[in-house]
Amino acid sequence: MNDIYMDHAATTPVNQDVIKAMQPFYSDKFANPASSHLPGQKSAAALEDAREAVAKLVGTKKAEEIVFTAGGTEADNLALKGAAMALSKQGKHIITSAIEHHAVLKSCEYLEKHLGFEITYLEVDQAGLVDPQKLRDNIRKDTILISIMFANNEIGSVQPIKELAAVAGENNILFHTDAVQAVGQLKIDVNELGVDLLSLSAHKFNGPKGIGALFVRKGVELTPQMSGGSQERKRRAGTANLTAAVGMGKAAEIAAANLTKKSKELILLRDYFFSQLKSNFDNLKINGPAPKSENRLPANINIAFKDLDAESILFNLSLNNIAAATGSACASGSLSVSHVLKAIGLEDKYAKGSIRFSLGKGNNKEEIDYVIKKLKEIIARLNSLK
């Protein structure tokens, strides 16, 4: 069996059509989009075409509402810090959830430590979901921003974003969502959802690394976090990463065209995976929403084995050419239990044995059968060593 890659939540392979689209911009069409000469104007046109493709993917007809960034982390930083600094005179209270990506949590920590903001971290239920009523109950007169992730990168919880954004809208509070894991798997329409800010990253939907974007609804004020030139309509300084932006645009175009088909295929594979796990393992706990729940990402399988060590399981999977993860790749190397698993109240005897499989391009039932076979051998061996 060839290498089996089931860690698409960490990153995805770049689509060959994306690579082909990017190639000319490395050498032949390399001009700076900010230059006024003809080659520069052609580069600027290519940049705007990419912006329009990304805009279409998230449901806005206003391409100028898309700000290119260096990735999802920068997009989150720009959203949180940029909005907080711009609105600091109106209030210094921000609401987020206890299971956000570290890009959001660390931004909140920075605002709290250095700029005097107060952060409320909403608890989630056992499925990792935020209750809209709980959000409503925690709003204060000085609340200026609410940031709740669209879908969790570890346990796959898909939040009721439309309802949560409506609560923010009722109170005239800006609403941001980190949709890095959702874009490319779920239909996104920023206007239907009612969000003001939305983060995404190209390498999560078969685009290149090093490029992301932030949707910024027209009229929303942000304090730039990069000082320099007037690029991105004065919202993000720095020479545009044209080649990567073109790649992101092409990946967005492909993702939009294939979204329904891809989502259905992933759900079928995910459900098959869960059925095989249920048939072959006792003492197995599923982390996050129920396997077939609409509140679970199509590609996400997060499970926990009682009284076993996740790193040992992953090491043995790797020896069998299977790539999986314990959770967020951004937190790899940490021996502590994930903040997400703590937030959903998972007992330590399960939390330490939690692993995540995330499906994507190239995965099939044959690979799943092989993974189940090897996983049975690994779990049996590890249990015998207790």
Side-chain angles (χ1 to χ4, degrees):
M1 179 67 70
N2 294 326
D3 288 351
I4 295 176
Y5 183 80
M6 291 188 176
D7 195 20
H8 290 86
T11 195
T12 61
V14 181
N15 189 295
Q16 287 299 315
D17 287 337
V18 171
I19 296 173
K20 185 177 179 180
M22 294 169 65
Q23 196 63 47
F25 294 88
Y26 281 110
S27 54
D28 298 330
K29 302 178 180 180
F30 60 88
N32 191 326
S35 299
S36 58
H37 47 60
L38 185 57
Q41 290 175 33
K42 289 180 178 179
S43 291
L47 184 65
E48 294 313 305
D49 286 345
R51 197 185 308 277
E52 287 184 12
V54 174
K56 184 178 180 181
L57 181 61
V58 297
T60 177
K61 294 181 179 179
K62 300 174 182 176
E64 66 271 18
E65 292 183 323
I66 299 298
V67 178
F68 282 118
T69 65
T73 292
E74 187 192 342
D76 283 343
N77 273 258
L78 178 57
L80 270 290
K81 296 174 184 174
M85 292 177 186
L87 298 174
S88 61
K89 291 182 179 179
Q90 297 178 31
K92 285 197 169 185
H93 180 235
I94 295 170
I95 300 175
T96 189
S97 84
I99 64 167
E100 297 296 310
H101 188 276
H102 283 102
V104 168
L105 295 178
K106 293 294 184 180
S107 290
C108 287
E109 185 181 303
Y110 176 90
L111 291 167
E112 193 171 28
K113 182 178 179 180
H114 298 287
L115 297 177
F117 280 80
E118 195 174 340
I119 316 295
T120 294
Y121 298 91
L122 297 178
E123 295 179 354
V124 295
D125 63 19
Q126 288 187 328
L129 300 175
V130 173
D131 181 355
Q133 185 57 49
K134 188 171 288 186
L135 171 60
R136 186 177 283 108
D137 293 343
N138 279 275
I139 289 175
R140 307 184 332 200
K141 289 183 179 180
D142 60 341
T143 305
I144 58 165
L145 176 66
I146 296 167
S147 180
I148 308 291
M149 71 193 322
F150 202 115
N152 186 265
N153 48 301
E154 292 189 37
I155 59 174
S157 307
V158 178
Q159 301 292 345
I161 291 298
K162 188 173 182 179
E163 291 87 340
L164 295 169
V167 173
E170 291 165 10
N171 292 275
N172 296 314
I173 298 168
L174 283 184
F175 188 91
H176 165 254
T177 185
D178 175 347
V180 167
Q181 290 292 328
V183 175
Q185 287 191 55
L186 301 174
K187 181 179 181 295
I188 306 286
D189 187 321
V190 290
N191 294 315
E192 184 180 319
L193 292 169
V195 301
D196 301 296
L197 299 155
L198 180 144
S199 305
L200 63 155
S201 184
H203 78 105
K204 303 294 187 178
F205 53 93
N206 305 106
K209 297 175 182 64
I211 185 76
L214 178 67
F215 159 76
V216 183
R217 187 172 295 285
K218 187 176 181 181
V220 171
E221 186 181 352
L222 294 177
T223 298
Q225 298 302 296
M226 298 282 283
S227 300
S230 58
Q231 293 91 346
E232 294 301 300
R233 294 172 175 83
K234 298 182 179 181
R235 295 172 295 191
R236 199 275 188 184
T239 301
N241 188 350
L242 176 62
T243 307
V246 168
M248 185 176 190
K250 186 62 178 180
E253 181 185 314
I254 295 169
N258 296 286
L259 185 62
T260 301
K261 180 185 177 185
K262 178 183 177 182
S263 183
K264 286 181 179 178
E265 289 175 349
L266 287 174
I267 288 171
L268 286 172
L269 283 176
R270 179 200 68 189
D271 291 350
Y272 178 72
F273 204 144
F274 273 124
S275 71
Q276 295 305 301
L277 286 165
K278 186 177 180 180
S279 299
N280 287 279
F281 296 95
D282 296 319
N283 265 341
L284 179 74
K285 187 181 282 286
I286 294 169
N287 299 326
K292 293 189 177 184
S293 170
E294 291 183 358
N295 290 108
R296 189 173 202 109
L297 272 175
N300 177 277
I301 298 101
N302 192 304
I303 53 176
F305 293 96
K306 185 179 178 182
D307 296 324
L308 290 179
D309 178 65
E311 292 296 337
S312 296
I313 299 171
L314 289 179
F315 176 74
N316 281 278
L317 285 171
S318 184
L319 291 178
N320 287 282
N321 304 318
I322 300 165
T326 55
S328 172
C330 302
S332 63
S334 173
L335 297 177
S336 61
V337 173
S338 154
H339 70 286
V340 175
L341 298 181
K342 285 181 179 178
I344 63 173
L346 191 63
E347 305 158 277
D348 277 356
K349 60 185 177 182
Y350 281 106
K352 291 178 180 178
S354 291
I355 58 174
R356 180 193 69 190
F357 296 94
S358 44
L359 307 173
K361 187 177 181 181
N363 293 144
N364 53 48
K365 285 187 176 181
E366 182 185 3
E367 289 187 337
I368 292 172
D369 290 339
Y370 177 79
V371 170
I372 294 294
K373 177 186 175 183
K374 292 301 177 183
L375 197 55
K376 282 180 70 176
E377 296 172 3
I378 292 165
I379 298 305
R381 188 184 312 120
L382 292 175
N383 277 326
S384 72
L385 297 173
K386 287 182 184 178

